[in-house]
Amino acid sequence: MNQFAKIPSVSRVLENQRLAQSINEYGHSAVTRVIRNHLEILRQQVSDGVDLGDKDEIESGLIRQVIQDLQQQAVPNLRPVFNLTGTVLHTNLGRASLPPDAIAAMVDAARYPCALEYDLETGGRGDRDALVEELLCELTGAEAATVVNNNAAAVFLTLNTLASAKGKKQVIVSRGELIEIGGAFRVPDIMSRSGAKLVEVGTTNRTHLKDFQGAITSKTAMLMKIHTSNYEIQGFTHAVPEKQLAELAHKSEVPFVVDLGSGTLAHLEDWGLPHEPTPRESIEAGADLVTFSGDKLLGGPQAGLLVGKRALIEQIKKNPLKRALRVGKITLAALEAVLRLYRNPDSLQNKLATLQQLTRPQADIQAAAERLLPMLQSALQPLPVSVEVVLLNSQIGSGSLPVERLPSAGLSIRSNSRKNGILHRMEAALRKLERPVIGRIDNDAMLLDLRCLAHEDEAFFIRQLSQLAQMPIHETK
Ligand SMILES: *Cc1c(COP(=O)(O)O)cnc(C)c1O
């Protein structure tokens, strides 16, 4: 029989009852498109000389594949994962998990019209920044505040506004602070793109007030301090305190700007965490402008917050680039809700998801590991691996407090043979689960740090482990 004659027509496949539900769910045109793709593959196989076999088998195999493709295509690309990496604020996994108050506010803002730029007192036009400005001022002690898309944008906009005037573009920064954050954000690059001219002073490990003094000229636009978020210089070091830099800047009649990076609005040491500098401390030390992120230790949505002197904030808001970098209503809704939580530090640990994760006691995490151990053992039972509860160290992430570690616990999976290929196949299989599980391989173990697995998600975590049985973990290449 002519092999081509075995291939069914599109209309014939569409009429197959087994596809009726798919057509209902995904629509006629989507189903048709997927059928066409598969028919094309069959035709290609025939051209390559393949015998397609039994005619009825071809059609039923085709339908199985079409349904599978449609199901796969329906899975959203941006979907939840279990962050068991041990890094709480994981940039590649979306940083802070938002608290319920913020989620509720986002849903309302998404669903209903809202007074985003509408003054409900006068009925006139409002300013979207005003929704959070008062809160930010209250929480930082600043005179004024504004918000942009992220902290990189806040730094860029600050430089572009305050350090791009002809003949006054120089920004003086210590050599120890010329940081790179996650590859794409590098201080020297942001400087040059913004129109500012970087003037490096001091050395990698030591910078003194006199270094700054000696660099100030009539071309100086500002003095800048950048928080070295993601690394720490230890040993024979010196950095100039903010207070001295502020005094020097003001004597020279230029602003002193601080990029705090993470920044948080509470005293983390109150919860036994290491101290992280706050915007209020910088403002009190005399900083004229402070920038920080919304989704690092603050525990809010992606945003860049700028707080400081009213005149500078006004100038920044007049920059046409501010319009290009502004945040949307959903971000503002979440940010306002999170900022409100900081008004009452006593209930913050209860309400702010990020703080809850960061302060979760090791014993509590270990208890979760003990609970999950038998389930993971039985899901992996056919495989030549051993699973055990281990004590781990989590890190905060997003460049916050890079050398601090949080005592944690989790599950470790080790290969019973000396070959570790199975761990890599296991890692890949965990990523293919309905809600992908992201762990890490460290030395000879696949580690699942359970700090960020919420108690209420444990049941789901366990249920989907049964899917592992169908995955090609055992296979050797
Ligand atoms: C994280 C960070 C940035 C970038 O902030 P995003 O909100 O990620 O854009 C800039 N500066 C410092 C010091 C940082 O730590």
Side-chain angles (χ1 to χ4, degrees):
M1 180 177 182
N2 176 358
Q3 293 290 322
F4 282 112
K6 289 182 182 172
I7 300 176
S9 69
V10 177
S11 53
R12 186 191 148 99
V13 181
L14 275 169
E15 275 162 25
N16 191 307
Q17 268 312 300
R18 284 169 58 206
L19 279 180
Q21 201 200 325
S22 299
I23 292 171
N24 225 341
E25 198 171 334
Y26 307 113
H28 193 272
S29 59
V31 177
T32 307
R33 179 169 41 80
V34 175
I35 295 173
R36 287 218 161 94
N37 289 344
H38 281 279
L39 292 177
E40 183 51 39
I41 293 170
L42 289 176
R43 276 186 218 107
Q44 189 58 48
Q45 286 176 340
V46 173
S47 308
D48 293 346
V50 176
D51 183 340
L52 294 180
D54 182 71
K55 190 159 178 272
D56 291 336
E57 279 292 306
I58 296 172
E59 186 159 336
S60 76
L62 178 80
I63 285 175
R64 233 185 355 260
Q65 281 176 337
V66 167
I67 292 173
Q68 202 182 355
D69 265 23
L70 286 163
Q71 282 169 347
Q72 259 167 22
Q73 287 175 14
V75 176
N77 293 329
L78 182 61
R79 59 189 204 269
V81 301
F82 284 112
N83 172 14
L84 307 190
T85 59
T87 300
V88 178
L89 298 167
H90 198 301
T91 297
N92 305 135
L93 302 181
R95 291 192 184 158
S97 296
L98 295 179
D101 288 17
I103 294 164
M106 286 164 79
V107 170
D108 276 350
R111 182 175 292 153
Y112 305 110
C114 53
L116 178 63
E117 290 187 349
Y118 186 85
D119 187 333
L120 291 170
E121 293 284 323
T122 64
R125 194 195 159 110
D127 174 359
R128 66 177 67 203
D129 288 0
L131 298 169
V132 291
E133 182 167 22
E134 224 178 277
L135 273 164
L136 279 168
C137 292
E138 177 190 316
L139 295 166
T140 62
E143 290 173 13
T146 182
V147 190
V148 289
N149 180 59
N150 55 20
N151 188 33
V155 173
F156 178 81
L157 190 60
T158 299
L159 293 167
N160 182 263
T161 308
L162 305 179
S164 65
K166 194 159 178 289
K168 215 167 167 60
K169 297 178 192 250
Q170 293 186 355
V171 177
I172 309 178
V173 185
S174 161
R175 285 202 167 86
E177 299 175 358
L178 299 176
I179 55 161
E180 170 179 309
I181 306 271
F185 180 87
R186 305 176 98 193
V187 168
D189 298 346
I190 287 271
M191 288 265 179
S192 64
R193 282 288 170 155
S194 70
K197 289 227 158 57
L198 172 63
V199 177
E200 306 170 24
V201 295
T203 62
T204 306
N205 57 330
R206 289 174 70 85
T207 300
H208 306 278
L209 189 63
K210 62 178 191 292
D211 296 325
F212 282 91
Q213 268 162 343
I216 294 178
T217 67
S218 62
K219 291 179 179 161
T220 304
M222 65 165 83
L223 304 192
M224 190 167 185
K225 184 167 182 68
I226 300 161
H227 188 52
T228 57
S229 313
N230 51 4
Y231 69 99
E232 200 168 289
I233 299 182
Q234 292 181 342
F236 187 55
T237 66
H238 185 75
V240 187
E242 287 181 355
K243 195 159 184 296
Q244 290 178 20
L245 282 177
E247 279 162 12
L248 176 62
H250 297 157
K251 241 191 296 173
S252 318
E253 294 180 341
V254 294
F256 171 48
V257 174
V258 178
D259 172 17
L260 263 192
S262 183
T264 175
L265 300 171
H267 294 110
L268 293 186
E269 54 274 35
D270 290 352
W271 295 280
L273 293 167
H275 177 75
E276 173 76 13
T278 65
R280 184 183 287 280
E281 288 165 354
S282 300
I283 296 282
E284 279 172 3
D288 300 292
L289 203 64
V290 183
T291 74
F292 55 106
S293 283
D295 56 353
K296 291 184 179 171
L297 282 169
L298 190 76
Q302 179 188 305
L305 309 172
L306 298 104
V307 302
K309 293 270 157 64
R310 179 159 303 281
L312 297 181
I313 295 284
E314 289 306 324
Q315 216 181 322
I316 283 170
K317 286 175 75 167
K318 286 201 191 98
N319 186 331
L321 283 171
K322 166 66 169 71
R323 173 64 179 76
L325 300 172
R326 77 178 183 191
V327 290
K329 62 179 180 176
I330 296 176
T331 297
L332 280 165
L335 182 62
E336 182 183 355
V338 168
L339 292 175
R340 283 183 187 281
L341 297 181
Y342 279 91
R343 275 190 158 160
N344 183 3
D346 294 338
S347 66
L348 196 60
Q349 191 184 18
N350 245 330
K351 297 199 161 166
L352 192 67
T354 299
L355 190 57
Q356 238 163 32
Q357 290 171 336
L358 292 174
T359 56
R360 189 170 173 193
Q362 186 178 37
D364 188 46
I365 309 170
Q366 194 177 350
E370 304 284 357
R371 272 197 301 279
L372 297 176
L373 176 68
M375 333 284 186
L376 187 61
Q377 272 171 332
S378 86
L380 300 179
Q381 194 258 329
L383 299 170
V385 294
S386 5
V387 189
E388 58 180 358
V389 172
V390 285
L391 298 183
L392 299 169
N393 283 305
S394 315
Q395 49 183 355
I396 297 175
S398 281
S400 306
L401 305 158
V403 292
E404 304 288 347
R405 289 291 180 269
L406 309 170
S408 186
L411 295 161
S412 135
I413 306 167
R414 280 174 191 279
S415 168
N416 290 344
S417 75
R418 272 194 297 157
K419 291 203 203 124
N420 273 335
I422 193 158
L423 292 186
H424 293 280
R425 290 194 296 280
M426 175 99 56
E427 189 190 33
L430 288 168
R431 272 191 272 118
K432 288 201 181 73
L433 291 172
E434 183 184 342
R435 182 177 297 187
V437 172
I438 319 290
R440 67 178 202 268
I441 292 183
D442 192 1
N443 287 319
D444 292 331
M446 165 98 217
L447 300 176
L448 305 176
D449 184 318
L450 298 181
R451 173 177 296 280
C452 296
L453 177 63
H455 204 291
E456 63 267 27
D457 292 332
E458 279 179 22
F460 184 93
F461 177 80
I462 291 162
R463 222 178 313 126
Q464 68 165 9
L465 288 178
S466 64
Q467 295 165 23
L468 287 173
Q470 287 113 53
M471 296 194 186
I473 306 177
H474 223 137
E475 244 165 45
T476 42
K477 274 185 274 173

